[in-house]
Amino acid sequence: MYCKINIMKKLFFIVVLFITGSLAFSQSADVVTRILNSEKATYGQVCYLSAVYQNLAKSNASYSACVKALYDAGQISENYNPDGYVTYEEVAGIFAKMFKNINKSIMYSATDGSNRYAYKLFKADGIILSSADAKQNLSGQELMNILTACLEEYGTSEDGMDLDLGE
């Protein structure tokens, strides 16, 4: 019983953080709703979240424009199909480049930010569940959970994303 209550508290906390994060992003509620309702997250959605966070794109930009913005910034190695499904490992690789406040591992730094070591770093930091498979596609809700965990763990007041709620 305690475990179920604890899980419910965590889910509620994640939802609250998500709403706070989405407001801080100044994203269209329509885009956030589409991401949350996605059965599988896409490159376009991940790149949108990253590009808007980094002010590489405006909140009304298309997914294609956000993919191109990250490609032009050198944060992704190819101009991905915005409608292609993304894996946990790829999400970690893209999101790891978003934050200045991330404590990078030796292997992540040595491999110039490889997706594999970003994924391992996120698992070690508790951003991605230990049961998640690196090559598995994730839902839009799982994508937003990862973003929320990243904002909580790595967000700073400098970039306006410090979600420290006094815990």
Side-chain angles (χ1 to χ4, degrees), residues 2 11-12 90 131 139 142 161:
Y2 173 75
L11 286 174
F12 177 75
E90 294 160 333
S131 60
S139 70
E142 291 167 324
M161 298 306 291

mmCIF file of all heavy atoms in Angstrom, residues 2 11-12 90 131 139 142 161:
data_model
loop_
_atom_site.group_PDB
_atom_site.id
_atom_site.type_symbol
_atom_site.label_atom_id
_atom_site.label_comp_id
_atom_site.label_asym_id
_atom_site.label_seq_id
_atom_site.Cartn_x
_atom_site.Cartn_y
_atom_site.Cartn_z
ATOM 1 N N TYR A 2 1.900 1.264 0.852
ATOM 2 C CA TYR A 2 2.794 2.409 0.910
ATOM 3 C C TYR A 2 3.451 2.640 -0.440
ATOM 4 O O TYR A 2 3.580 3.780 -0.887
ATOM 5 C CB TYR A 2 3.858 2.212 1.990
ATOM 6 C CG TYR A 2 4.905 3.283 1.976
ATOM 7 C CD1 TYR A 2 4.625 4.558 2.480
ATOM 8 C CD2 TYR A 2 6.160 3.057 1.425
ATOM 9 C CE1 TYR A 2 5.569 5.551 2.443
ATOM 10 C CE2 TYR A 2 7.110 4.048 1.381
ATOM 11 C CZ TYR A 2 6.807 5.294 1.897
ATOM 12 O OH TYR A 2 7.742 6.281 1.855
ATOM 13 N N LEU A 11 4.179 10.250 -9.473
ATOM 14 C CA LEU A 11 3.485 10.567 -10.724
ATOM 15 C C LEU A 11 2.886 11.964 -10.673
ATOM 16 O O LEU A 11 2.972 12.727 -11.641
ATOM 17 C CB LEU A 11 2.403 9.530 -11.020
ATOM 18 C CG LEU A 11 2.895 8.172 -11.508
ATOM 19 C CD1 LEU A 11 1.736 7.199 -11.623
ATOM 20 C CD2 LEU A 11 3.616 8.313 -12.823
ATOM 21 N N PHE A 12 2.271 12.316 -9.542
ATOM 22 C CA PHE A 12 1.711 13.651 -9.384
ATOM 23 C C PHE A 12 2.814 14.698 -9.484
ATOM 24 O O PHE A 12 2.656 15.718 -10.158
ATOM 25 C CB PHE A 12 0.981 13.767 -8.041
ATOM 26 C CG PHE A 12 0.438 15.147 -7.791
ATOM 27 C CD1 PHE A 12 -0.700 15.589 -8.458
ATOM 28 C CD2 PHE A 12 1.070 15.997 -6.900
ATOM 29 C CE1 PHE A 12 -1.188 16.867 -8.237
ATOM 30 C CE2 PHE A 12 0.585 17.270 -6.679
ATOM 31 C CZ PHE A 12 -0.554 17.701 -7.348
ATOM 32 N N GLU A 90 18.956 7.687 -28.291
ATOM 33 C CA GLU A 90 18.988 8.904 -29.104
ATOM 34 C C GLU A 90 18.442 10.108 -28.340
ATOM 35 O O GLU A 90 18.977 11.215 -28.450
ATOM 36 C CB GLU A 90 18.217 8.678 -30.407
ATOM 37 C CG GLU A 90 18.899 7.655 -31.304
ATOM 38 C CD GLU A 90 17.983 7.045 -32.345
ATOM 39 O OE1 GLU A 90 16.748 6.986 -32.121
ATOM 40 O OE2 GLU A 90 18.507 6.606 -33.385
ATOM 41 N N SER A 131 15.317 -0.167 -16.182
ATOM 42 C CA SER A 131 14.715 -1.245 -16.966
ATOM 43 C C SER A 131 14.571 -0.892 -18.445
ATOM 44 O O SER A 131 14.225 -1.743 -19.255
ATOM 45 C CB SER A 131 13.339 -1.596 -16.395
ATOM 46 O OG SER A 131 12.494 -0.465 -16.444
ATOM 47 N N SER A 139 7.311 6.348 -25.688
ATOM 48 C CA SER A 139 6.086 7.114 -25.944
ATOM 49 C C SER A 139 6.356 8.594 -25.702
ATOM 50 O O SER A 139 7.360 8.979 -25.100
ATOM 51 C CB SER A 139 4.959 6.636 -25.031
ATOM 52 O OG SER A 139 5.225 7.020 -23.695
ATOM 53 N N GLU A 142 6.626 9.177 -22.006
ATOM 54 C CA GLU A 142 7.954 8.812 -21.484
ATOM 55 C C GLU A 142 8.983 9.877 -21.854
ATOM 56 O O GLU A 142 9.859 10.201 -21.048
ATOM 57 C CB GLU A 142 8.367 7.442 -22.020
ATOM 58 C CG GLU A 142 7.539 6.306 -21.449
ATOM 59 C CD GLU A 142 7.711 4.993 -22.201
ATOM 60 O OE1 GLU A 142 7.855 5.020 -23.445
ATOM 61 O OE2 GLU A 142 7.676 3.948 -21.530
ATOM 62 N N MET A 161 15.313 27.534 -15.907
ATOM 63 C CA MET A 161 14.675 26.232 -15.820
ATOM 64 C C MET A 161 14.972 25.521 -14.512
ATOM 65 O O MET A 161 14.905 24.325 -14.425
ATOM 66 C CB MET A 161 15.134 25.347 -16.995
ATOM 67 C CG MET A 161 14.746 25.898 -18.345
ATOM 68 S SD MET A 161 13.006 26.256 -18.512
ATOM 69 C CE MET A 161 12.340 24.633 -18.498
#
